[in-house]
């Protein structure tokens, strides 16, 4: 068969196919589409043909059963399965309690009613309460109670929905505006829980490949946020700005020829585990010099430090605009609930769509938002509250730090959450281990309670035991007594409570050898 015959045969076949195709319903539309498509965009026609053939191939492809892959598994008898199940021991969800924790739980006092400066225990005794964060005694403020009750009757208990859906109410918008105005920032966003605020803010902005430079002394919530972010972490010595500068210089050198990444410095304003305050002026200077952003956790300094309680920025006269993100709590001194992040408008709006704790959690109950706003008003209209609180702090310090031969206050002068550790010479001279110190301080807590003063110990998880972020090094501020000062007590009552604590310390430490030998 020569070429001419082949061409005639193909022509007849195409003619027959064309006649058959014209007999099909809708064939004219299909042919017209193919002609116009080929003339206007032949590449698209080729792609559509390829997809059509791929679809036909997919429909005609044979199916495969997973049952044919049994040779990849080891067949076990029922007896072998039962034996493996009996031998398997699941890991505990939490670590077992230590002897100190068991003793602490057994003797832990139970408060009946409100946690005011004078609290009633379940055993019927009334004690001076220096173990709560009721710093300004807002728990007993009748105007706050009335506002909370009125809001509860208007809005109900909770919005029962995330803020981005139908959880945001007008009181939330007002609280955010009040906090932003109080701090002097462009905007603010309110979270439903104080603890979950910074663990959500950090991974919202810092992702894998970004760089976080963090203080070794930061609290547990910040460590969780750092771990969740999966960012590259560099630690600097606690509150050591010279070491921070060395870390920043090394990062700048290492990243000089690498793609640009986001870089953050993460620290606390007032450190929860050591009671000291950050050198914010120097930190801001380093931020601008090496081009980093700053995430500042003011959970324990908001409402406490500064002339009007605006935090570390006010106390150290730092422009609030120089801090990229300020995180704080509404559940501490304000006696409300929830947390917040204040900063620029762009920073806040990004969190509304990308922050897990904001987008996937129910919004803050309306009565707590109202309580926070009203508490801020009380702080601004009653500056004497801050003065009275600081006067009581000085009164307590005067009774314990210079007058006790055993303990020393490691908190900054204006910190109402006072931490007292055993003096280094006491620890070294008596060869006290960390375990011994914990026991002795717990005995001091028990002895003070017997004499009508409720205090507590500093309780925190060490980096080595809390699954800290990668590259973390152990930082242990040491065991300490924690005493929370309140304006609900007069200066004389505070001094009396300090005397009770000092006598308890002297009594317990003077009998150290006998108590340690019993354990």
């Amino acid at each position: 068969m020569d070429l001419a015959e082949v061409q005639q045969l193909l022509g007849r076949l195409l003619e027959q196919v064309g006649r058959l195709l014209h007999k099909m319903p809708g064939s004219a539309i299909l042919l017209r589409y193919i002609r116009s498509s080929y003339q206007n965009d032949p590449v698209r026609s080729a792609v559509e043909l390829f997809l059509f053939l791929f679809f036909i191939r997919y429909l005609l492809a044979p199916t495969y059963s997973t049952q044919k892959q049994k040779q990849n598994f080891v067949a076990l008898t029922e007896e072998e399965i039962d034996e493996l199940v009996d031998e398997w021991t699941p890991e505990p969800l939490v670590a077992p309690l230590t002897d100190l924790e068991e003793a602490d739980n057994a003797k832990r006092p139970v408060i009946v009613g409100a946690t005011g400066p004078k609290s009633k225990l379940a055993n019927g005794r009334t004690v001076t309460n220096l173990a709560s964060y009721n710093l300004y005694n807002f728990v007993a403020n009748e105007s706050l109670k009335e506002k909370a009750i009125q809001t509860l009757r208007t809005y109900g208990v909770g919005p029962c929905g995330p803020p981005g859906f139908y959880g945001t109410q007008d009181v939330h918008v007002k609280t955010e505006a009040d906090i932003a105005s109080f701090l002097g920032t462009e905007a603010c966003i309110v979270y439903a829980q104080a603890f979950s605020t910074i663990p959500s803010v950090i991974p919202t902005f810092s992702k894998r490949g970004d760089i976080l430079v963090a203080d070794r002394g930061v609290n547990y919530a910040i460590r969780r946020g750092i771990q969740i972010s999966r960012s590259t972490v560099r630690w600097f010595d606690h509150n050591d700005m010279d070491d921070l500068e060395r870390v920043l210089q090394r990062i700048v050198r290492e990243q000089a020829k690498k793609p640009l990444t986001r870089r953050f410095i993460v620290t606390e304003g007032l450190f929860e585990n050591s009671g000291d305050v950050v050198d914010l002026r120097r930190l801001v200077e380093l931020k601008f010099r090496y081009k980093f952003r700053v995430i500042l956790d003011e959970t324990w300094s908001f409402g406490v430090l500064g002339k009007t309680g605006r935090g570390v920025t006010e106390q150290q006269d730092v422009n609030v605009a120089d801090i990229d993100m300020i995180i704080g709590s509404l559940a501490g001194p304000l006696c409300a609930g929830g947390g917040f992040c204040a900063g620029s408008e762009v920073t806040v709006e990004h969190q509304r769509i990308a922050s897990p704790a904001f987008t996937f959690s129910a919004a803050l109950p309306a009565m707590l938002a109202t309580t926070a706003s009203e508490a801020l008003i009380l702080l601004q209209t009653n500056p004497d509250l801050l003065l009275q609180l600081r006067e009581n702090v000085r009164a307590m310090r005067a009774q314990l730090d210079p007058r006790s031969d055993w303990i020393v206050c490691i908190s900054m002068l204006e910190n109402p959450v006072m931490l007292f550790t055993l003096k280094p010479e006491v620890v070294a001279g008596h060869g006290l281990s960390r375990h011994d110190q914990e026991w002795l301080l717990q005995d001091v807590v028990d002895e003070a309670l017997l004499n009508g003063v409720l205090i507590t110990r500093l309780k925190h998880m060490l980096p080595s035991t809390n699954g800290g972020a990668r590259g973390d090094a152990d930082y242990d501020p040491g065991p300490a007594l924690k005493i929370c000062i309140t304006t609900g007590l007069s200066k004389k009552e505070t001094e009396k409570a300090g005397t009770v604590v000092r006598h308890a310390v002297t009594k317990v430490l003077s009998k150290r050898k006998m108590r340690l030998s019993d354990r």
Side-chain angles (χ1 to χ4, degrees):
M1 181 180 295
D2 57 10
L3 181 60
E5 294 177 346
V6 172
Q7 290 177 343
Q8 293 177 359
L9 179 61
L10 289 176
R12 288 194 297 271
L13 289 175
L14 290 174
E15 186 179 353
Q16 293 177 0
V17 170
R19 286 197 297 267
L20 293 175
L21 188 60
H22 279 293
K23 294 180 180 179
M24 295 176 57
S27 58
I29 299 175
L30 178 61
L31 290 175
R32 187 166 57 252
Y33 170 76
I34 293 175
R35 291 193 187 99
S36 61
S37 175
Y38 178 76
Q39 292 174 357
N40 297 332
D41 191 358
V43 176
R44 187 181 70 177
S45 300
V47 173
E48 291 176 347
L49 178 61
F50 171 77
L51 292 176
F52 176 75
L53 296 176
F54 176 79
F55 177 70
I56 298 299
R57 173 67 179 82
Y58 179 78
L59 290 179
L60 299 179
T63 58
Y64 297 93
S65 174
T66 56
Q67 300 298 324
K68 297 180 180 179
Q69 308 296 329
K70 286 186 177 181
Q71 62 270 19
N72 295 332
F73 301 93
V74 177
L76 299 177
T77 63
E78 291 295 331
E79 292 77 9
E80 290 173 330
I81 295 175
D82 293 338
E83 184 178 352
L84 290 174
V85 171
D86 293 337
E87 292 178 353
W88 180 67
T89 302
E91 295 184 3
L93 296 178
V94 295
L97 295 177
T98 64
D99 52 353
L100 177 62
E101 291 171 336
E102 291 180 350
D104 186 18
N105 289 339
K107 295 183 289 186
R108 179 169 295 153
V110 177
I111 295 177
V112 178
T115 56
K118 297 290 185 179
S119 298
K120 186 177 181 180
L121 303 183
N123 58 13
R125 295 182 59 200
T126 299
V127 297
T128 300
N129 187 356
L130 298 179
S132 74
Y133 298 125
N134 182 29
L135 305 182
Y136 299 109
N137 198 25
F138 284 158
V139 169
N141 189 284
E142 291 300 327
S143 65
L144 287 181
K145 290 182 181 179
E146 290 299 323
K147 288 287 185 179
I149 293 173
Q150 181 181 353
T151 305
L152 178 64
R153 290 171 175 168
T154 304
Y155 294 89
V157 176
C160 301
F165 189 28
Y166 54 83
T168 298
Q169 299 167 314
D170 56 352
V171 290
H172 298 115
V173 178
K174 181 180 183 302
T175 301
E176 292 176 347
D178 290 343
I179 297 172
S181 175
F182 181 70
L183 290 175
T185 59
E186 291 183 8
C188 175
I189 181 172
V190 170
Y191 287 77
Q193 291 183 331
F195 178 84
S196 64
T197 302
I198 196 161
S200 182
V201 171
I202 292 176
T204 298
F205 293 94
S206 185
K207 310 293 184 180
R208 187 188 297 273
D210 297 330
I211 298 176
L212 293 172
V213 180
D215 191 300
R216 295 188 193 277
V218 294
N219 58 45
Y220 180 71
I222 294 178
R223 294 178 184 275
R224 289 285 75 107
I226 291 174
Q227 185 181 33
I228 295 171
S229 72
R230 299 185 178 182
S231 302
T232 301
V233 187
R234 297 289 183 267
W235 301 90
F236 65 94
D237 294 340
H238 173 56
N239 222 3
D240 187 342
M241 295 298 108
D242 293 332
D243 188 57
L244 170 60
E245 185 169 12
R246 286 192 292 270
V247 173
L248 297 182
Q249 288 174 346
R250 185 167 62 250
I251 292 174
V252 171
R253 289 195 302 269
E254 293 174 353
Q255 300 293 319
K257 297 182 179 180
K258 295 182 180 180
L260 185 63
T261 59
R262 288 168 289 196
R263 306 171 186 177
F264 299 89
I265 301 174
V266 185
T267 188
E268 291 184 76
L270 195 60
F271 287 88
E272 176 183 358
N273 296 327
S274 56
D276 51 350
V277 66
V278 66
D279 186 354
L280 192 59
R281 287 186 179 182
R282 180 75 189 284
L283 188 142
V284 170
E285 175 189 340
L286 296 176
K287 164 205 167 176
F288 285 114
R289 183 183 304 171
Y290 297 100
K291 297 179 176 58
F292 276 70
R293 296 182 176 93
V294 172
I295 300 177
L296 180 64
D297 184 2
E298 292 219 54
T299 296
W300 303 102
S301 54
F302 176 72
V304 171
L305 297 185
K307 184 179 179 180
T308 58
R310 286 174 169 83
V312 180
T313 53
E314 183 181 44
Q315 190 239 3
Q316 299 188 15
D317 194 22
V318 174
N319 187 355
V320 71
D322 294 340
I323 310 300
D324 299 277
M325 282 165 274
I326 297 177
I327 288 85
S329 170
L330 304 175
L334 302 187
C335 290
F340 69 86
C341 178
S344 65
E345 190 76 33
V346 174
T347 299
V348 168
E349 291 306 315
H350 178 66
Q351 294 177 64
R352 297 192 191 280
I353 59 174
S355 181
F358 186 82
T359 56
F360 299 115
S361 298
L364 181 71
M367 61 178 175
L368 295 181
T370 300
T371 302
S373 293
E374 295 299 322
L376 282 179
I377 295 175
L378 289 177
L379 275 182
Q380 296 177 76
T381 56
N382 297 277
D384 291 342
L385 286 174
L386 284 161
L387 298 178
Q388 182 183 351
L389 181 65
R390 289 166 188 169
E391 185 178 3
N392 286 353
V393 170
R394 289 191 293 269
M396 178 62 71
R397 185 183 289 267
Q399 291 297 317
L400 291 175
D401 194 349
R403 302 184 64 177
S404 175
D405 297 330
W406 307 97
I407 59 176
V408 61
C409 183
I410 62 174
S411 300
M412 64 142 340
L413 293 176
E414 297 179 357
N415 189 353
V417 181
M418 306 179 71
L419 301 179
F420 293 87
T421 62
L422 296 177
K423 291 183 176 181
E425 56 268 25
V426 173
V427 175
H430 295 80
L432 298 177
S433 65
R434 193 185 200 286
H435 183 72
D436 294 338
Q437 297 176 59
E438 292 280 9
W439 271 109
L440 288 171
L441 295 180
Q442 183 59 45
D443 287 343
V444 171
V445 172
D446 297 338
E447 182 64 26
L449 182 60
L450 289 176
N451 291 277
V453 178
L454 177 61
I455 60 175
T456 186
R457 292 184 295 110
L458 173 65
K459 300 175 183 178
H460 64 99
M461 298 184 70
L462 298 177
S464 58
T465 60
N466 67 8
R470 301 185 304 275
D472 189 6
D474 290 353
Y475 171 78
D476 182 12
L481 293 174
K482 179 186 283 189
I483 300 177
C484 303
I485 308 303
T486 176
T487 59
L489 299 175
S490 65
K491 180 180 178 181
K492 186 175 181 179
E493 290 173 321
T494 302
E495 291 175 341
K496 182 179 179 181
T499 302
V500 171
V501 175
R502 187 177 76 248
H503 290 167
V505 171
T506 302
K507 181 178 180 180
V508 170
L509 270 295
S510 61
K511 298 180 180 180
R512 179 193 66 83
K513 293 183 180 179
M514 180 186 69
R515 290 182 178 274
L516 292 180
S517 62
D518 293 339
R519 301 188 176 107

